[in-house]
């Protein structure tokens, strides 16, 4: 729960949903829990990452996950593959990791090189180790209302809503973007939290008319500053999952034009420091959960 005096606001009045501070708090608690777990069981929760290809964003992301694991006392291993590696080579290592009792979570960094069939590789991942929650089995379990790890970015957004005590039940949530890692699972999680959900995508007609009806707007399209204040209902909660590089600009840029949106919204995530840090926190949390569940 956030204490009112600690809540930062934009000059326009919107609450800034501080993912960086929230993630830090989750990871601080996790570090304590992991340390106690290791002392009691002798098991170090461990995450293995398969990183194939030379995508600089993926390399940066995996490196920051390694650092975050180390800080939380979680073990991490990275299995790098050249972009010329074959799918069979990746699948062989995945099979070893699936059966390695010292590995509790496995992350297959998206995107795999174009030469590989990503869903086919993901479908071989042991669902009990799918801490990124994006394998077909985990997605199916989510849809069926069964226990499963949830995709980390959507799970991070839901955790932010929960910690800021933002009501979801009965609200109209509009999710723009329908990717397997982001838009689709986010829509299901909101639905499970009893929101009325509309999913939009690149073929949606009159998008602004729909986004202006959203009590909760999730921007997940990968287009810098696409959503401005005119597309947002006054008082809406805006979650910006976008991370975009724009030439000539420092750092990452979200899918939402923060300045104009923050003058209309009641709460909004900044970029950076909003949704991004929550993704890593959820990955670590899931790895710890997988380690706990691995004990017979
Ligand atoms: P993606 O796989 O490229 O999917 C983009 C989605 O947006 C697609 O469903 C696409 O529609 C839709 N879209 C594209 N342009 C649109 C438009 N003009 N109007 C409406 N819908 C549009 O991207 P993603 O992997 O979901 O990532 C989305 C963004 O989130 C990116 O900026 C990415 O960097 C960021 N991201 C952040 C994190 C994090 O940790 N914070 C994690 C993952 C991704 P169609 O399906 O019709 O093509």
């Amino acid at each position: 729960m956030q204490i009112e005096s600690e809540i930062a606001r934009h000059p326009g009045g919107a609450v800034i949903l501080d993912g960086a501070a929230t993630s830090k708090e989750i990871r601080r608690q996790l570090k304590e829990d992991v340390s106690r777990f290791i002392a009691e069981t002798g098991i170090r929760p461990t995450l293995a990452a398969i990183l194939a290809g030379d995508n600089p964003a993926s390399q940066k992301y995996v490196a920051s996950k390694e650092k975050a694991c180390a800080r939380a006392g979680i073990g991490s291993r990275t299995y790098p593959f050249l972009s010329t590696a074959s799918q069979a080579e990746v699948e062989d290592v995945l099979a070893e990791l699936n059966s390695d009792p010292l590995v509790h979570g496995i992350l297959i960094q998206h995107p795999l090189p174009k030469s590989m069939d990503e869903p086919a590789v993901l479908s071989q991942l042991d669902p009990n180790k799918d801490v990124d929650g994006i394998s077909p089995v985990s997605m199916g379990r989510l849809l069926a209302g069964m226990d499963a790890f949830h995709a980390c970015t959507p799970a991070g957004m839901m955790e932010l809503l929960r910690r800021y005590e933002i009501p979801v039940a009965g609200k109209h949530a509009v999710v723009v973007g329908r990717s397997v890692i982001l838009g689709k699972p986010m829509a299901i999680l909101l639905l499970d939290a009893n929101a009325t959900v509309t999913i939009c995508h690149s073929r949606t007609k009159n998008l602004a008319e729909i986004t202006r009806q959203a009590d909760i707007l999730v921007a997940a399209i990968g287009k810098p500053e696409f959503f401005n204040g005119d597309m947002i209902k006054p008082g809406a909660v805006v979650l910006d999952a976008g991370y975009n590089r724009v030439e000539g600009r420092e750092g990452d840029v979200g899918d939402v034009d923060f300045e104009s949106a923050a003058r209309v919204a009641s709460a909004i995530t900044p970029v950076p420091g909003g949704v991004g840090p929550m993704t890593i926190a959820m990955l670590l949390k899931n790895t710890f959960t997988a380690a706990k569940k691995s004990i017979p």
Side-chain angles (χ1 to χ4, degrees):
M1 194 204 303
Q2 301 287 328
I3 301 162
E4 180 61 31
S5 62
E6 288 176 357
I7 290 179
R9 286 181 187 271
H10 181 268
V15 168
I16 313 271
L17 302 172
D18 189 340
T22 308
S23 164
K24 200 169 163 192
E25 170 54 24
I26 293 170
R27 288 181 287 122
R28 186 199 59 73
Q29 182 64 54
L30 195 61
K31 187 177 176 180
E32 279 179 29
D33 295 345
V34 166
S35 159
R36 200 173 316 114
F37 177 77
I38 294 172
E40 283 168 10
T41 64
I43 298 170
R44 178 177 297 280
T46 296
L47 174 69
I50 290 181
L51 174 62
D54 47 15
N55 181 326
S58 293
Q59 285 167 344
K60 195 174 144 196
Y61 203 40
V62 169
S64 66
K65 280 167 189 165
E66 280 174 0
K67 240 190 250 163
C69 279
R71 285 203 199 109
I74 292 175
S76 75
R77 304 186 200 163
T78 299
Y79 294 81
F81 289 88
L82 296 173
S83 46
T84 50
S86 71
Q87 186 171 323
E89 285 173 88
V90 171
E91 287 174 350
D92 284 349
V93 168
L94 178 57
E96 277 171 31
L97 295 173
N98 275 341
S99 55
D100 185 340
L102 300 179
V103 170
H104 307 101
I106 302 172
L107 167 78
I108 299 174
Q109 182 61 43
H110 167 83
L112 288 175
K114 286 198 167 56
S115 59
M116 296 184 199
D117 180 348
E118 190 165 315
V121 176
L122 284 172
S123 64
Q124 292 180 42
L125 174 52
D126 177 351
N128 297 316
K129 296 190 178 187
D130 178 20
V131 289
D132 211 19
I134 58 167
S135 73
V137 174
S138 299
M139 293 289 290
R141 282 185 176 179
L142 171 64
L143 268 176
M146 293 164 72
D147 187 32
F149 289 116
H150 298 156
C152 294
T153 305
M157 288 191 270
M158 295 304 292
E159 185 68 18
L160 263 183
L161 292 173
R162 198 182 67 73
R163 290 195 176 230
Y164 277 87
E165 298 179 347
I166 293 171
V168 176
K171 301 293 178 188
H172 182 196
V174 174
V175 179
V176 193
R178 56 174 166 180
S179 72
V180 171
I181 61 162
L182 229 172
K184 278 182 190 163
M186 186 62 190
I188 302 300
L189 291 176
L190 286 162
L191 188 63
D192 284 351
N194 296 315
T196 300
V197 182
T198 302
I199 305 174
C200 302
H201 46 78
S202 67
R203 308 279 187 91
T204 298
K205 300 243 189 312
N206 305 322
L207 180 65
E209 258 175 46
I210 301 171
T211 59
R212 275 196 290 267
Q213 294 170 30
D215 301 312
I216 299 171
L217 175 65
V218 179
I221 66 171
K223 298 259 154 56
E225 297 177 340
F226 182 91
F227 299 91
N228 58 37
D230 293 341
M231 299 174 79
I232 294 165
K233 175 176 164 177
V237 173
V238 178
L239 302 172
D240 184 357
Y243 260 96
N244 310 291
R245 302 247 23 124
V246 175
E247 217 169 296
R249 300 246 320 244
E250 273 285 301
D252 293 308
V253 174
D255 286 351
V256 175
D257 171 25
F258 183 80
E259 274 311 310
S260 69
R263 296 194 180 278
V264 184
S266 63
I268 183 166
T269 55
V271 176
V275 173
M278 293 299 292
T279 302
I280 291 197
M282 294 300 107
L283 183 72
L284 301 184
K285 205 165 161 235
N286 286 349
T287 302
F288 181 43
T289 302
K292 285 189 288 185
K293 284 188 171 174
S294 73
I295 298 173

